[in-house]
């Protein structure tokens, strides 16, 4: 792959990340303006609703008001995502892994933005049928892509393909 293709790929990743962040933050602003202080909006009665929640912790409110822990974790995930993205071979076979990395980074940054500027994360999607924790779009990015990541690593990529991402020697030879 030519250097110009590498640059285009990285630019596409940055644009994708920004678009994902904009969508996440836009949905959270909609939740604040249309749901805060109001009754839930049931989209599927007894199953799924829009429910405004200011989450000062993680799922189920664990580690409440320990924002620094989540900021550090998000920063670590973001740095790891950038390093892995840059070290991945620029091949068509790695496209799914690149996309997954961008989505996970966008989810981490989306919730990090909330923690920095609001001191809580805006959650608003609620599956009442199973009493699942209230979540947001950034959480969807992270959760769905984490599942996809596991599936791709287990069923799609060969060990040798992944080793080159984590091997310092191979990364320098690219």
């Amino acid at each position: 792959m030519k250097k110009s293709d590498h640059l285009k790929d990285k630019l596409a990743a940055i644009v994708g990340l920004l678009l994902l962040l904009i969508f996440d933050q836009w949905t959270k602003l909609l939740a604040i303006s249309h749901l805060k202080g109001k009754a839930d909006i049931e989209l599927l009665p007894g199953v799924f609703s829009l429910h405004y929640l200011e989450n000062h912790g993680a799922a189920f409110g664990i580690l409440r008001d320990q924002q620094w822990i989540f900021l550090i974790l998000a920063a670590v995930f973001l740095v790891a995502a950038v390093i892995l993205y840059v070290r991945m071979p620029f091949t068509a076979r790695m496209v799914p892994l690149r996309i997954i990395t961008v989505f996970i980074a966008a989810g981490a940054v989306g919730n990090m933005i909330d923690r920095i500027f609001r001191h809580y994360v805006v959650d608003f999607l609620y599956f009442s049928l199973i009493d699942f924790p209230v979540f947001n779009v950034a959480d969807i990015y992270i959760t769905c892509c984490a599942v996809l990541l596991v599936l791709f690593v287990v069923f799609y990529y060969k060990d040798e393909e992944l080793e080159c991402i984590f091997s310092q020697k191979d990364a320098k030879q690219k």
Side-chain angles (χ1 to χ4, degrees), residues 79-95:
V79 168
V82 169
I83 290 169
L84 291 175
Y85 190 92
V86 170
R87 293 180 71 170
M88 278 182 227
F90 287 86
T91 63
R93 187 154 169 85
M94 288 293 164
V95 168

Side-chain angles (χ1 to χ4, degrees), residues 96-97 100 142-154 157:
L97 195 54
I100 287 169
I142 294 167
T143 306
C144 291
C145 286
V147 169
L148 286 173
L149 179 62
V150 169
L151 292 174
F152 273 101
V153 166
V154 172
Y157 293 110

Side-chain angles (χ1 to χ4, degrees), residues 27-39 41 50 52:
T27 59
K28 290 172 179 174
L29 288 173
L30 287 174
I32 291 167
S33 63
H34 296 289
L35 299 172
K36 186 175 183 176
K38 298 184 175 118
I41 298 173
L50 300 177
Y52 181 81

Side-chain angles (χ1 to χ4, degrees), residues 19-160:
L19 290 173
L20 291 167
L21 282 172
I22 289 167
F23 182 67
D24 170 64
Q25 292 299 304
W26 178 65
T27 59
K28 290 172 179 174
L29 288 173
L30 287 174
I32 291 167
S33 63
H34 296 289
L35 299 172
K36 186 175 183 176
K38 298 184 175 118
D40 291 2
I41 298 173
E42 288 206 37
L43 300 176
L44 294 170
V47 178
F48 182 72
S49 63
L50 300 177
H51 171 84
Y52 181 81
L53 177 71
E54 294 177 357
N55 188 347
H56 294 266
F60 300 111
I62 60 173
L63 296 174
R64 182 171 176 77
D65 295 324
Q66 301 297 314
Q67 298 302 321
W68 62 274
I69 292 173
F70 300 112
L71 288 172
I72 290 170
L73 285 173
V76 167
F77 277 109
L78 183 59
V79 168
V82 169
I83 290 169
L84 291 175
Y85 190 92
V86 170
R87 293 180 71 170
M88 278 182 227
F90 287 86
T91 63
R93 187 154 169 85
M94 288 293 164
V95 168
L97 195 54
R98 290 182 173 285
I99 292 170
I100 287 169
T101 304
V102 170
F103 269 85
I104 290 174
V109 172
N111 284 339
M112 189 184 332
I113 289 169
D114 280 14
R115 292 182 196 286
I116 291 169
F117 293 105
R118 294 187 180 98
H119 305 289
Y120 57 85
V121 174
V122 174
D123 289 332
F124 57 92
L125 302 167
Y126 178 55
F127 279 105
S128 55
L129 180 67
I130 56 173
D131 195 26
F132 195 77
V134 182
F135 58 98
N136 61 48
V137 173
D139 297 335
I140 294 170
Y141 296 163
I142 294 167
T143 306
C144 291
C145 286
V147 169
L148 286 173
L149 179 62
V150 169
L151 292 174
F152 273 101
V153 166
V154 172
F155 296 110
Y156 183 71
Y157 293 110
K158 297 178 179 92
D159 289 345
E160 305 82 47

